Amino acid sequence: MTDITIRPESFEDLRGIDIVNISAFEEEDEARLVTAIRHSPVYLPEFSLVAENHGRIVGHLMMFLARLDQQDTRIDILALAPMSVLPSHSHRGIGSGLITAALEQARKQGFPAGVVTGYPDYYSRFGFKPAYLKKLDCNLPAEKETVLALELKEGVFDKAGTIIYPQVIHQFYEMSR
Ligand SMILES: CC(C)(COP(=O)(O)OP(=O)(O)OC[C@H]1O[C@@H](n2cnc3c(N)ncnc32)[C@H](O)[C@@H]1OP(=O)(O)O)[C@@H](O)C(=O)NCCC(=O)NCCS
């Protein structure tokens, strides 16, 4: 992580962010998703983080607004997607640095929980656990083992509930089918 700066995205970074996403995922869908989220109501500029190395964008992570519905309450939570590191820069802790910075910001802003749909082995390092273990459903057509949740405020998962992903993510799932 030497010479890596993690900071919120700025307008000048947009092309670099596209390049990182296309290189990491080897397709353009995730870069399109980032643009779609940026133009949607769930976009939070301070949660679109870049990792910069000597002026080059080498990693990117986005968290956006999602919801947790429990009985008669609805609370704002954060969802993570996508995240990417240039293949030439992977295995150096850049992904971990991005997640750690995002979660620190989430706690600072008082978000009670984070969710992600992805590799359980990777995200468990940061405390994410399968959501179904906490009796949480998800409104996405994702494999239940890949829906992961992290409690940021103690007790937030004490009640069963449903993670509600926003429309922009549902459109992405439909498009990628
Ligand atoms: C996943 C990704 C963001 C990790 O970035 P990174 O900077 O290499 O991550 P870190 O250096 O912090 O951590 C690397 C560790 O993550 C592990 N890891 C990477 N991908 C993993 C996966 N799919 N499942 C489990 N572990 C994984 C590696 O084994 C590595 O462990 P090691 O260093 O002990 O060998 C990066 O590999 C990437 O962009 N992948 C392609 C896009 C992608 O799959 N994004 C995540 C979607 S959920």
Side-chain angles (χ1 to χ4, degrees):
M1 280 290 279
T2 33
D3 293 333
I4 300 286
T5 304
I6 292 180
R7 57 167 177 78
E9 70 176 22
S10 67
F11 183 73
E12 291 71 33
D13 301 323
L14 301 194
R15 171 128 183 84
I17 291 171
D18 276 354
I19 291 171
V20 170
N21 278 292
I22 293 166
S23 311
F25 288 99
E26 300 180 325
E27 59 176 27
E28 296 194 1
D29 286 359
E30 287 73 14
R32 288 200 193 102
L33 174 63
V34 168
T35 304
I37 294 172
R38 208 179 272 129
H39 290 99
S40 83
V42 298
Y43 172 56
L44 300 168
E46 68 276 31
F47 284 99
S48 182
L49 298 180
V50 293
E52 184 183 348
N53 178 227
H54 300 300
R56 182 181 181 202
I57 304 302
V58 296
H60 175 252
L61 171 154
M62 196 164 225
M63 286 185 107
F64 53 86
L65 270 182
R67 228 174 59 211
L68 178 62
D69 289 4
Q70 293 166 311
Q71 294 168 357
D72 49 357
T73 58
R74 293 174 159 205
I75 52 177
D76 283 342
I77 59 171
L78 289 171
L80 191 166
M83 77 168 287
S84 53
V85 171
L86 280 184
S88 57
H89 285 67
S90 65
H91 298 277
R92 296 187 200 175
I94 296 174
S96 301
L98 283 164
I99 296 184
T100 304
L103 294 178
E104 197 180 300
Q105 176 75 357
R107 286 193 177 93
K108 218 183 276 179
Q109 292 203 15
F111 281 98
V115 294
V116 62
T117 304
Y119 308 118
D121 289 350
Y122 185 65
Y123 291 105
S124 65
R125 296 171 184 214
F126 311 97
F128 286 89
K129 298 196 174 104
Y132 72 86
L133 295 177
K134 294 285 180 184
K135 298 195 165 49
L136 301 175
D137 290 331
C138 178
N139 72 340
L140 277 185
E143 303 252 344
K144 81 169 184 180
E145 289 76 14
T146 66
V147 179
L148 311 169
L150 171 67
E151 192 175 72
L152 296 173
K153 267 194 192 158
E154 213 181 311
V156 71
F157 295 152
D158 284 356
K159 287 184 280 182
T162 304
I163 297 159
I164 308 289
Y165 270 85
Q167 190 60 28
V168 64
I169 302 299
H170 287 274
Q171 283 163 351
F172 175 70
Y173 265 72
E174 276 159 32
M175 187 187 78
S176 350
R177 263 193 219 157

